[in-house]
Amino acid sequence: MASRTEVKKAGCHFCHNNCGLLVHVQDGKVVKVEGNRDHPISSGYICARGTKAPKWLYHPEQLKYPLKRAGKRGEGKWERISWDQALDEIASKLAQLKEDYGAETLMVTEGTYRSDHFWARTRFLNLFGNPQNITCPGIICSMNCYTINLALIGSVNIISDLFNTKCAVLWGGNHVETFLTRWRILRGRIRNKDVKTIVIDPIKTKTAKHADMCLQLRPGTDAALALGWINVIIEENLYDKDFVDKWTHGFNELRERVKAYTPRKVAEITGLTKEEIVESARLYATTKPACIDRGVATDQIGLNATRVEQARVILKAITGNMDVPGGNPVTGPAFKMNGGSFVCDSELELAEKCPPEQRQKQIGADRYKLMTFPGWEILDKYFKKHYGVSHPQHHPLLVSMPLAIRAIIDEKPYPIKAMISWASNPMMWAANTKLVHEALTHPNLELHVVLEYWMTPTAQLADYVLPSASWLERPLCTTFEDWSDLAWAGERSVEPLGERRDDYLFWKELGLRLGQKGYWPWETLEEVAEYRISRLGISYEEFIDRGGLLPEPEFRKYEKTGFSTPTGKVELYSTIFERLGYDPLPYYEEPPESPVRTPELLEQYPLVLTTGIKFMPMFHSEHRQLGIGHREKHPDPLVHIHPETARNHGIKDGDWVYIETARGRIKQKANLTEDIRPDVVASEASWWFPEKQAEAPSLFGALESNSNILTIDDPDLCDPLVGSWCNRGLLCKIYKE
Ligand SMILES: Nc1nc2c(c(=O)[nH]1)N[C@H]1C(S)=C(S)[C@@H](COP(=O)(O)OP(=O)(O)OC[C@H]3O[C@@H](n4cnc5c(=O)[nH]c(N)nc54)[C@H](O)[C@@H]3O)O[C@H]1N2
Ligand SMILES: Nc1nc2c(c(=O)[nH]1)N[C@H]1C(S)=C(S)[C@@H](COP(=O)(O)OP(=O)(O)OC[C@H]3O[C@@H](n4cnc5c(=O)[nH]c(N)nc54)[C@H](O)[C@@H]3O)O[C@H]1N2
Ligand code: SF4
Ligand SMILES: [Mo]
């Protein structure tokens, strides 16, 4: 029989760029993957992860069948069972736990934007009666910033118009390694001297090497720098008076607040020079249009995390760069075409199904009020008035992981008896791994289900491990969880391997077994996609063919509609923060552990540590299996140390060194580089070793080189608005193994 080759138009989901890729399928098997030149956004781009996708998909260690634990947790004994058995048993256990402890006893943990069906999980939880007890890295990755945007401008202002900007501030982001498609736009423009760039990073990264200025500040001091910029911009009259007068609320209060943040003071805090601060502020404020393109660093500095974003929103507003070409556009929830709109995530979540008294039980709602129901109720009121649809519940409604973990162990404020980890490896991503490990092995946790591609350290501790279909085995249909007004599509390339299923089917099938009949009308994700575009007047085939639907860019939308905040303006002084009992204005606070805040620790831990340096071709804890080709390129975890610091510690390039904080120690391999501040050490995160022993206590070496052994998760030291913990700006010592 002649072999059959097809080319599928898929949407990659190995990272958040969702590039349009062409997947060559021969006799039902993926043989080659390349960039799709016709894709309206990625236009042919593909990275090493995309190219190696066939090796990834057919790796012998990919999970293919549902597994049930047969020995003790972590013992590595598994029994292969059917999906029906797994779902029946999980549903019946959940029903019993709900009866005994209430629907709130279930916690869901999930990864960072790993698929486009978060709405399905929220729908399931609302129907189950659970108060959105969801915890995920979003709290330290973008969603905390996102929620600040919602409070201050009523929409999202995180995207940057890199095509048209004349000055890009890359704030705590290393685009060369992490934001590949964004970097692709900038690289050409930098080469053509068409754009100025300022990088804010303690390391002179590959990205920073292309920049006009690199501000190598002390980790965790970003809010001081941002407030210093505001001070310079106001003092030197560099702000946009017209925009400030018409479209902002609280300028006078802001002016008073930032008086304390003089360049001299900010220089003392950040370790930058006064000149660097003033010059960079002027460059940003006077080069028009300018944008701020953020990385994740500042989301992870604990106590002061959201205040950095608050100050950045203020900077965009007072310089008149908000929602202008080349600035930071304001994005809304739904793509519109032919008089109809894409069906938003919020329209699928069935928020009204969860009884109000249940909502009040969300863990953390009494202390981190912005990103839980108290904040959401206010934010959604203005959002709905403005956009005509509700805000999706699924990202500004998160439980801080440190509270979730403690609720399992201490049963406070009530017992968490069940956890579903989908697309998530909390043994890798969450702070204070030792405590996470304690929770995941605790007898209090009666049910732990993991949905995965691989047997990971987290999966190794589960009761059921269910095999999931990847982006090659499922279609894509997304508006990025409702936070952009474009819609992307990709088709399923091949049928799922073995008995893998997409995660949507898990939520649906579990729901049907728990009394949710009638609420899951779509059999497949293709049917979901068809439903979601049903008001746009195009066929599913055309949607896939186009790969993406883009709105005509529209700027200065506020001139027609105002901002969706209580004052209708950008709130430099936040009336929502005030209502929730927080300081309405931004301020600087020292990191929980620092040479200034905790000098008593300095003798023992003299260096500042930042964790989680990301790099190609890895994506968090993924792609670490030998045989795909990525691990072969980057086999070991690296810690970046200045040569002078290394010399003082007797450390040579390539030595294995211990990095120790007050929480514990790990080892990584020394990478000596002049590019890092001498007082700073930077480690990689998410390291486990699939080739090492699976069984406890090894758990694939999950406790050996994992930076989250070192991080701080004390709830009192988390950001008070949202509960973000501290991965960056810690105190440590280093020594040779
Ligand atoms: N290759 C690859 N790409 C990825 C990912 C991945 O795992 N691998 N993950 C994706 C995800 S989910 C995310 S969130 C993004 C993250 O993307 P980035 O934010 O670009 O990545 P990071 O390396 O975490 O941090 C960026 C920079 O922050 C600097 N930094 C550390 N501490 C501080 C500080 O206190 N202040 C400032 N201003 N800078 C500091 C670091 O030196 C680093 O260069 O990448 C996405 N893309
Ligand atoms: N110390 C420190 N910790 C950090 C960071 C840091 O900088 N420093 N960075 C943080 C950041 S920015 C982030 S975003 C998080 C990342 O945290 P996560 O997003 O949880 O990333 P992973 O730890 O790689 O776990 C994701 C798991 O999901 C699986 N998976 C991927 N896609 C799917 C899918 O569609 N379905 C299913 N069922 N499984 C899937 C993968 O195999 C992988 O095991 O880590 C955070 N943790
Ligand atoms: S992994 Fe690579 S190809 Fe896939 S979406 Fe990300 S950048 Fe694009
Ligand atoms: Mo992230």
Side-chain angles (χ1 to χ4, degrees):
M1 208 171 67
S3 74
R4 215 165 62 92
T5 308
E6 288 173 283
V7 179
K8 300 283 187 177
K9 288 188 167 176
C12 180
H13 227 304
F14 274 152
C15 89
H16 303 170
N17 288 307
N18 292 145
C19 295
L21 301 184
L22 296 177
V23 178
H24 295 249
V25 178
Q26 203 171 1
D27 300 326
K29 214 175 155 195
V30 177
V31 289
K32 187 173 116 182
V33 181
E34 61 182 342
N36 177 2
R37 285 176 195 282
D38 297 331
H39 192 272
I41 300 196
S42 57
S43 19
Y45 185 74
I46 183 167
C47 77
R49 286 189 291 263
T51 318
K52 294 257 187 322
K55 283 220 148 115
W56 179 90
L57 183 64
Y58 300 114
H59 193 283
E61 286 157 33
Q62 286 273 14
L63 295 171
K64 295 201 186 83
Y65 304 101
L67 298 173
K68 180 181 177 178
R69 179 164 62 81
K72 291 202 203 94
R73 274 198 185 133
E75 212 182 356
K77 293 194 178 141
W78 300 97
E79 176 195 349
R80 179 176 156 186
I81 58 171
S82 69
W83 269 98
D84 275 339
Q85 183 188 340
L87 287 161
D88 288 346
E89 289 180 11
I90 294 164
S92 111
K93 182 74 182 171
L94 279 177
Q96 176 231 313
L97 291 173
K98 180 176 172 178
E99 175 111 1
D100 295 346
Y101 301 97
E104 61 276 16
T105 199
L106 169 64
M107 181 68 63
V108 174
T109 166
E110 63 201 25
T112 174
Y113 184 60
R114 299 302 184 130
S115 72
D116 49 313
H117 28 275
F118 291 99
W119 62 270
R121 177 264 293 125
T122 301
R123 187 178 178 99
F124 170 86
L125 291 180
N126 277 323
L127 290 164
F128 189 68
N130 181 282
Q132 302 299 317
N133 274 341
I134 302 159
T135 181
C136 76
I139 299 164
I140 46 136
C141 172
S142 310
M143 290 308 137
N144 46 359
C145 281
Y146 176 105
T147 314
I148 294 299
N149 281 237
L150 278 181
L152 304 182
I153 63 166
S155 331
V156 191
N157 192 222
I158 285 176
I159 292 170
S160 337
D161 180 2
L162 296 175
F163 291 104
N164 297 303
T165 196
K166 289 290 174 195
C167 175
V169 179
L170 310 181
W171 202 309
N174 183 10
H175 291 47
V176 172
E177 300 282 351
T178 57
F179 299 119
L180 308 176
T181 46
R182 265 141 81 182
W183 178 243
R184 195 173 163 224
I185 304 167
L186 270 182
R187 193 187 49 193
R189 298 200 56 221
I190 292 174
R191 227 183 260 144
N192 294 338
K193 301 203 182 328
D194 197 19
V195 61
K196 300 266 183 210
T197 43
I198 305 171
V199 168
I200 300 169
D201 196 310
I203 304 180
K204 191 161 188 194
T205 57
K206 284 186 197 160
T207 311
K209 295 216 165 110
H210 296 269
D212 295 277
M213 288 189 83
C214 176
L215 305 179
Q216 290 189 258
L217 80 182
R218 166 161 69 92
T221 61
D222 297 76
L225 176 63
L227 290 159
W229 274 19
I230 302 174
N231 172 299
V232 173
I233 290 167
I234 295 180
E235 292 298 315
E236 298 193 5
N237 274 316
L238 302 177
Y239 60 95
D240 182 329
K241 291 181 193 60
D242 193 45
F243 186 90
V244 166
D245 286 348
K246 282 199 197 127
W247 294 110
T248 66
H249 170 77
F251 184 71
N252 290 335
E253 290 88 341
L254 175 72
R255 181 199 287 267
E256 281 308 305
R257 172 61 59 91
V258 299
K259 276 193 177 145
Y261 297 93
T262 59
R264 180 202 291 264
K265 171 93 182 158
V266 172
E268 252 170 48
I269 298 172
T270 57
L272 300 168
T273 64
K274 242 170 46 181
E275 292 69 30
E276 280 177 309
I277 295 159
V278 174
E279 206 187 307
S280 55
R282 286 181 189 153
L283 184 63
Y284 169 66
T286 59
T287 319
K288 299 281 165 119
C291 68
I292 299 182
D293 202 68
R294 48 173 290 287
V296 81
T298 55
D299 302 8
Q300 307 192 352
I301 59 176
L303 281 169
N304 214 214
T306 50
R307 300 300 181 168
V308 184
E309 182 62 8
Q310 183 180 14
R312 280 191 298 236
V313 171
I314 290 172
L315 280 165
K316 295 177 221 175
I318 65 170
T319 55
N321 281 306
M322 191 166 278
D323 214 21
V324 297
N328 291 97
V330 172
T331 46
F335 175 75
K336 294 188 180 59
M337 193 166 97
N338 298 330
S341 61
F342 189 86
V343 175
C344 290
D345 279 19
S346 62
E347 293 176 76
L348 298 170
E349 289 180 337
L350 301 182
E352 68 286 359
K353 291 289 172 194
C354 183
E357 65 278 10
Q358 278 301 105
R359 284 185 177 190
Q360 287 166 17
K361 296 183 187 162
Q362 190 184 31
I363 289 182
D366 55 340
R367 71 184 294 175
Y368 307 130
K369 293 193 181 141
L370 190 68
M371 243 169 128
T372 48
F373 273 109
W376 187 79
E377 305 278 3
I378 303 173
L379 299 176
D380 188 46
K381 187 171 123 197
Y382 294 100
F383 191 87
K384 206 166 168 181
K385 207 162 109 193
H386 193 89
Y387 288 109
V389 285
S390 228
H391 193 276
Q393 289 190 315
H394 62 59
H395 38 262
L397 268 177
L398 297 173
V399 174
S400 178
M401 183 63 164
L403 295 186
I405 286 306
R406 284 162 178 77
I408 294 173
I409 298 169
D410 306 331
E411 308 207 319
K412 284 187 188 133
Y414 49 77
I416 292 294
K417 292 284 178 188
M419 184 147 110
I420 299 176
S421 299
W422 70 303
S424 178
N425 190 357
M427 280 290 291
M428 289 296 123
W429 68 257
N432 197 354
T433 316
K434 287 183 192 163
L435 203 68
V436 175
H437 181 260
E438 186 184 331
L440 297 186
T441 49
H442 205 287
N444 282 351
L445 188 65
E446 293 188 23
L447 175 69
H448 184 197
V449 180
V450 168
L451 287 94
E452 254 299 345
Y453 303 142
W454 312 92
M455 186 57 77
T456 63
T458 302
Q460 190 64 21
L461 297 175
D463 304 318
Y464 295 88
V465 180
L466 305 176
S468 295
S470 65
W471 62 270
L472 290 153
E473 307 157 276
R474 67 179 191 230
L476 170 80
C477 171
T478 187
T479 56
F480 295 93
E481 308 176 44
D482 278 8
W483 63 288
S484 79
D485 46 9
L486 41 81
W488 285 19
E491 67 186 318
R492 195 189 292 264
S493 301
V494 288
E495 286 308 309
L497 302 183
E499 293 178 8
R500 282 151 80 109
R501 285 186 181 180
D502 57 64
D503 299 329
Y504 163 72
L505 282 181
F506 167 78
W507 295 112
K508 169 180 185 281
E509 291 295 326
L510 192 63
L512 291 177
R513 283 168 171 79
L514 285 162
Q516 301 180 5
K517 285 209 173 61
Y519 291 106
W520 297 93
W522 312 284
E523 287 301 318
T524 60
L525 278 172
E526 280 84 354
E527 283 182 29
V528 173
E530 282 182 24
Y531 174 69
R532 299 195 76 170
I533 58 165
S534 57
R535 304 191 296 228
L536 297 177
I538 60 160
S539 66
Y540 180 64
E541 289 68 30
E542 191 188 342
F543 184 39
I544 294 288
D545 199 50
R546 286 170 66 170
L549 306 172
L550 298 173
E552 274 300 307
E554 211 191 318
F555 296 99
R556 296 190 174 86
K557 298 177 278 290
Y558 54 83
E559 286 178 352
K560 281 194 227 144
T561 57
F563 288 92
S564 40
T565 57
T567 54
K569 297 181 175 184
V570 177
E571 298 206 344
L572 309 176
Y573 177 103
S574 170
T575 60
I576 293 182
F577 289 5
E578 191 171 41
R579 242 202 275 180
L580 291 170
Y582 298 106
D583 190 335
L585 291 165
Y587 57 87
Y588 171 68
E589 187 170 4
E590 276 292 316
E593 219 175 51
S594 84
V596 181
R597 190 190 188 97
T598 53
E600 70 284 1
L601 288 178
L602 265 189
E603 203 174 315
Q604 202 181 348
Y605 302 109
L607 295 164
V608 178
L609 170 69
T610 186
T611 70
I613 301 300
K614 300 186 175 58
F615 57 93
M616 277 299 284
M618 305 305 183
F619 194 71
H620 299 295
S621 72
E622 290 190 74
H623 306 282
R624 285 195 166 50
Q625 290 76 11
L626 290 166
I628 300 172
H630 299 321
R631 195 54 200 295
E632 289 74 2
K633 289 222 166 83
H634 194 119
D636 302 310
L638 297 183
V639 53
H640 307 282
I641 309 171
H642 194 278
E644 190 186 304
T645 314
R647 210 174 310 119
N648 294 340
H649 288 78
I651 292 168
K652 290 197 285 304
D653 195 51
D655 282 349
W656 281 94
V657 295
Y658 281 111
I659 313 157
E660 186 175 323
T661 67
R663 272 79 46 203
R665 71 173 191 179
I666 61 165
K667 58 180 187 178
Q668 300 200 345
K669 216 171 188 176
N671 175 54
L672 304 197
T673 168
E674 303 268 354
D675 296 329
I676 191 167
R677 282 171 59 122
D679 59 344
V680 175
V681 166
S683 68
E684 293 173 353
S686 305
W687 270 98
W688 62 295
F689 308 91
E691 71 280 10
K692 290 199 178 176
Q693 193 184 351
E695 296 78 40
S698 161
L699 300 175
F700 304 105
L703 303 171
E704 290 173 19
S705 298
N706 177 350
S707 282
N708 278 313
I709 301 273
L710 311 174
T711 47
I712 296 183
D713 84 328
D714 179 343
D716 290 336
L717 298 174
C718 289
D719 182 291
L721 284 106
V722 299
S724 317
W725 51 94
C726 185
N727 293 338
R728 311 207 179 195
L730 309 156
L731 290 182
C732 79
K733 65 176 166 189
I734 52 171
Y735 45 97
K736 217 170 135 168
E737 187 185 10

